[in-house]
Amino acid sequence: MDDTTSRIGVLATEAINLLIDAVDQIPPESWDQPSNLEGWSLRELVGHVTGSAAKVVTLVEDGEVWDHPSQPSDWVCDDPTARLRELATRLEDALPGADLDGMRRSPEGEVPLRRALTYPVSDLAMHAWDIHRSQGRLIELPADLLGLCRGLVESVPEHLLRRPGGFGPAQAAQDDATPTARLMAYLGRSIDGGG
């Protein structure tokens, strides 16, 4: 087991806090503007990733986990930041007693909790980037979260990575692109522009 996987609880907390910070920076007038993900407004993107945050908490609490991507409409609420803060508090409360070797459902079938968390925790980090990108900012993911995301992406076969509902075709990245920008371009995100 690599060091990143053994630190998944720390990474989950870091990712949800990164997400909260991104959502906190959305101005009220921007919620219904398009995000950088085709067909989704910022509100819908936040709704989707709130579902991923709920999945992280449910996995740690050993609750019943749904086996499909979170639909934005299922998680859109009047105060998304408050909802995310509530989930962060539940995560903080549940992590100390969590059995990271306990088996949980995941896209790979039954796996230890530490592995099952890899997918939704990566989702939190990548979508925090998307939220910033949707508002014209390019941020660099913290090295440990970037490593988690990169490791997950590299472990998924190309035909599954690019399946419908997955990631779009890889985009070009300039030679001087940051490590996060390179990963996001590989995952089909536009990295041109931004501040």
Side-chain angles (χ1 to χ4, degrees):
M1 159 188 8
D2 68 22
D3 184 53
T4 302
T5 307
S6 67
R7 297 183 58 242
I8 194 68
V10 171
L11 294 175
T13 300
E14 184 176 9
I16 202 166
N17 288 333
L18 187 70
L19 177 62
I20 290 168
D21 179 62
V23 172
D24 272 344
Q25 295 184 51
I26 300 173
E29 66 275 9
S30 296
W31 279 97
D32 293 311
Q33 293 178 355
S35 75
N36 68 320
L37 300 180
E38 188 176 332
W40 282 7
S41 68
L42 261 172
R43 184 180 310 279
E44 290 166 328
L45 170 57
V46 171
H48 163 76
V49 75
T50 299
S52 296
K55 187 173 277 189
V56 168
V57 173
T58 302
L59 282 165
V60 172
E61 292 175 341
D62 198 13
E64 187 63 32
V65 178
W66 51 101
D67 60 359
H68 54 81
S70 297
Q71 297 302 309
S73 58
D74 295 341
W75 299 96
V76 169
C77 64
D78 291 336
D79 191 348
T81 305
R83 174 76 171 129
L84 288 168
R85 289 187 195 288
E86 175 215 327
L87 290 167
T89 299
R90 282 177 52 197
L91 178 64
E92 186 179 316
D93 291 346
L95 271 171
D99 176 5
L100 293 178
D101 294 317
M103 300 305 281
R104 302 288 196 281
R105 275 186 15 205
S106 84
E108 298 176 335
E110 290 284 319
V111 297
L113 173 58
R114 68 180 74 250
R115 178 66 184 166
L117 286 172
T118 302
Y119 289 88
V121 170
S122 295
D123 205 49
L124 299 184
M126 290 187 282
H127 286 318
W129 185 93
D130 285 325
I131 292 165
H132 282 290
R133 178 70 188 101
S134 297
Q135 298 174 77
R137 296 184 298 272
L138 289 176
I139 64 157
E140 192 63 14
L141 293 177
D144 51 0
L145 283 173
L146 179 61
L148 180 75
C149 295
R150 186 181 293 130
L152 176 63
V153 167
E154 290 170 356
S155 75
V156 177
E158 184 77 11
H159 72 281
L160 294 177
L161 194 67
R162 309 286 178 199
R163 73 186 185 281
F167 295 101
Q171 303 295 309
Q174 295 180 347
D175 290 342
D176 63 348
T178 67
T180 298
R182 284 187 182 288
L183 176 66
M184 299 311 275
Y186 177 73
L187 296 174
R189 269 63 165 185
S190 168
I191 58 169
D192 293 334

